[in-house]
Amino acid sequence: MSAKAKSRKRSKRLLSNDRPAFPTRGHKTTSLSSKVTRTLIRSHHTLHKRLKQAETAGEIARANEIRLQIETQGGLAKYQQASIQGQSSQRGGDSSKLLIEWLQELGLSTTEHTKLRLLEVGALRVDNACSRCGIFDVVRIDLNSQHEQILQQDFMTRPMPVDEADREENGFDVISLSLVLNYIPDPVGRGEMLKIVASFLRRALQNEQLNTFPGLYLVLPRPCITNSRYLDEAMLEAMMSSLGYVMTRTKLSSKLAYYYFRYVWDQPTVSQAFTKKELRKASNMNNFAIVLQ
Ligand SMILES: C[S@@+](CC[C@H](N)C(=O)[O-])C[C@H]1O[C@@H](n2cnc3c(N)ncnc32)[C@H](O)[C@@H]1O
């Protein structure tokens, strides 16, 4: 077999593999059982929530103690390893597949000449469906980059376009926040993240794309929507509508809640505050909330 054929065979195997198709930086990628990954992800979120509370209360010693606990557990890198395994087909799969399906349903063809620009916030892989589909030029960012094609950057401090021309050239047609909003440890921070998304969205390139672009692809763990005291789908829709979005596609799977919100340019938006208000009550419910100030 020629070297080229061998390499093709190897990359094919890697793409269908359930392990990351790239070396992670500075960490061994040993396989974790699904129970271990779930526990690790949950514990990482809980510790970050406690850290935020300690920081807000000015409890410096307590905050340092929690930081140490996070690091002892392997920190963000270990959490990312657990998340990568969660993306494997046996564990819920690649969430960006549905985005491509939806865009095709909305009439987008993969053979269109001008590539669309996608900003993937919280990118762990460079070979997921949105990277492979050929529709997008993908810009990937993450707080902790696991690959040279992922820029290490906090979305909240990403420099915004300086003017309209900059936004039209360097802005995006789609922004993906897949399992990122729930990473933010406090409701106000989540609201802030949703608020800045539109600053990076550009106008649709062609008139026939006006019903599809630009948009936000949002994925959350299903219980954030179906089992929260403070948030349900109607509330999320109302919040997004106040920010200028139309809920265009939704899907609930056994584990995840998926949304595509189209941003409507030039639509007068009524700036509305959404506080943390109890919508329903049951002892087994969680406290996930989003606050728009
Ligand atoms: C659970 S992983 C999600 C990975 C992937 N998007 C998915 O759908 O499986 C969450 C990732 O979001 C990243 N993240 C959280 N807040 C971020 C921010 N403000 N800017 C950039 N990345 C962020 C974290 O570093 C982490 O790697």
Side-chain angles (χ1 to χ4, degrees):
M1 197 188 295
S2 73
K4 210 169 165 190
K6 259 189 206 159
S7 130
R8 224 181 295 128
K9 196 172 171 203
R10 192 168 53 237
S11 61
K12 212 169 168 191
R13 201 174 56 229
L14 284 172
L15 284 177
S16 61
N17 216 337
D18 291 321
R19 301 282 166 269
F22 52 86
T24 53
R25 285 189 176 154
H27 281 269
K28 274 199 264 169
T29 50
T30 44
S31 173
L32 305 170
S33 76
S34 61
K35 189 161 174 238
V36 170
T37 56
R38 266 201 313 275
T39 310
L40 210 143
I41 287 173
R42 208 170 292 146
S43 159
H44 188 83
H45 285 164
T46 305
L47 286 172
H48 268 283
K49 225 178 288 165
R50 290 188 190 145
L51 174 60
K52 183 75 192 176
Q53 284 159 357
E55 283 171 348
T56 308
E59 296 168 353
I60 296 166
R62 172 96 186 107
N64 285 338
E65 203 181 288
I66 299 169
R67 275 190 207 103
L68 188 66
Q69 261 177 290
I70 293 173
E71 280 321 301
T72 310
Q73 280 192 4
L76 180 52
K78 192 85 180 177
Y79 168 86
Q80 289 178 317
Q81 189 195 336
S83 300
I84 287 169
Q85 288 190 222
Q87 286 181 6
S88 75
S89 47
Q90 292 125 356
R91 311 240 189 110
D94 167 5
S95 68
S96 75
K97 268 194 216 153
L98 185 63
L99 170 65
I100 311 306
E101 275 175 43
W102 278 349
L103 295 182
Q104 281 164 353
E105 273 173 36
L106 289 165
L108 187 77
S109 124
T110 46
T111 54
E112 270 166 59
H113 294 300
T114 327
K115 279 207 177 168
L116 295 157
R117 280 173 53 81
L118 167 75
L119 175 65
E120 190 186 0
V121 182
L124 294 180
R125 302 184 66 133
V126 299
D127 64 348
N128 52 2
C130 64
S131 297
R132 284 181 318 207
C133 67
I135 298 176
F136 297 114
D137 274 331
V138 186
V139 173
R140 305 174 189 89
I141 63 170
D142 198 285
L143 292 177
N144 182 43
S145 168
Q146 298 270 8
H147 190 277
E148 62 202 8
Q149 287 168 29
I150 301 172
L151 177 66
Q152 185 149 315
Q153 185 180 62
D154 181 347
F155 179 53
M156 301 308 292
T157 56
R158 182 180 171 87
M160 289 190 182
V162 290
D163 55 24
E164 209 172 316
D166 185 18
R167 196 191 58 222
E168 291 312 298
E169 191 179 338
N170 298 310
F172 297 93
D173 303 291
V174 179
I175 294 184
S176 164
L177 291 179
S178 170
L179 299 174
V180 174
L181 199 66
N182 57 300
Y183 187 89
I184 310 301
D186 67 305
V188 174
R190 292 177 197 132
E192 292 303 312
M193 184 173 258
L194 288 179
K195 269 161 76 178
I196 68 163
V197 168
S199 318
F200 297 96
L201 293 174
R202 62 180 181 180
R203 286 168 192 274
L205 295 176
Q206 293 153 14
N207 277 346
E208 55 271 29
Q209 294 180 345
L210 279 175
N211 287 330
T212 315
F213 301 113
L216 165 67
Y217 183 57
L218 179 69
V219 183
L220 288 167
R222 180 184 163 120
C224 294
I225 299 291
T226 57
N227 200 37
S228 159
R229 290 183 183 85
Y230 303 102
L231 187 71
D232 59 12
E233 197 165 280
M235 175 64 89
L236 179 67
E237 186 174 15
M239 284 179 179
M240 295 306 291
S241 168
S242 82
L243 295 176
Y245 294 84
V246 177
M247 193 188 262
T248 309
R249 284 284 187 279
T250 76
K251 179 182 165 170
L252 287 178
S253 74
S254 60
K255 295 206 171 96
L256 300 176
Y258 303 83
Y259 298 95
Y260 185 74
F261 293 100
R262 180 169 58 88
Y263 183 66
V264 186
W265 273 102
D266 307 323
Q267 176 187 247
T269 53
V270 191
S271 167
Q272 204 186 329
F274 287 83
T275 54
K276 187 173 170 183
K277 200 172 70 188
E278 198 169 72
L279 301 174
R280 49 197 173 175
K281 211 175 189 168
S283 59
N284 63 349
M285 287 193 150
N286 65 67
N287 292 326
F288 185 82
I290 301 174
V291 166
L292 286 185
Q293 289 182 331

